[in-house]
Amino acid sequence: MRLSPRALRAAQAAWRECFPLQGRDVARWFPGHMAKGLKKMQSSLKLVDCVIEVHDARIPLSGRNPLFRETLGLKPHLLVLNKMDLADLTEQQKIEQHLAGEGLKHVIFTSCIKDENVKQIIPKVTELVGSSYRYHRAEVCERPLIFLMDTPGVLAPRIESVETGLKLALCGTVLDHLVGEETMADYLLYTLNRHQLLGYVQHYGLDSACDDIEHVLKRVAVRLGKTRKVKVLTGTGDVNVIQPNYSAAAYDFLRTFRSGLFGPVMLDRDVLQGCPPADTPR
């Protein structure tokens, strides 16, 4: 959805210029087994000919393990950026250039759900490895004969910023309740407004774009019938009051975003524009 220039300027005047990040503990959001997983992966490298790294296309530059390249040594490395159907790839060339600057020259954008570009993976692996396959695990292709060894997901041992952590959380890399559904919904609303991605207005039938998450979630809860009874103590006794279920509304807001109903999104647009996350040391 696009607002008229006048309506957009009026809405933007009340929008936040930055997201409050202080006091949020990223360390407790993500499990502490990443270093252990990377060490285990390193011990398995001698059994493989090529490494395929799968990451989310909505955050092609954030959350990847900076030690991954060092761990791989000289192994051929293919980066698969999946969920391209949910990502705004209008600056795909810029993404590829940024990754190439980090030494990642072999990148494929895919959508496993829609089977887009998935068939490019096997030919690319064949090209990188050549005709000599030394190690066999789970067979995934007969011609050429290719086997697959799966490993647990491995993020960076330490998430460098709260904003990066929030991006990863929006993409489902951590359980929502560890961060808080309402916190995540607030950061999502801030991001959508900042990028002028206002599909949520039409989807939920709101009067206009808004930067107040409590107001948005209240409207969402009322529209979807997500309310709950709360006992309130008064001078004459307990009274049941119907209140919006903000947690349920936040969950629906996140689920709708993840299903792509707000439109394609590039959560790393700030990185592409050369702006580090707000709480990253400079």
Side-chain angles (χ1 to χ4, degrees), residues 23 125 223:
V125 169
R223 180 176 178 81

Side-chain angles (χ1 to χ4, degrees), residues 12-33:
Q12 286 177 322
W15 290 350
R16 293 165 289 183
E17 295 184 2
C18 61
F19 188 79
L21 299 168
Q22 294 78 12
R24 304 185 192 276
D25 183 11
V26 185
R28 70 178 182 83
W29 296 351
F30 296 89
H33 64 265

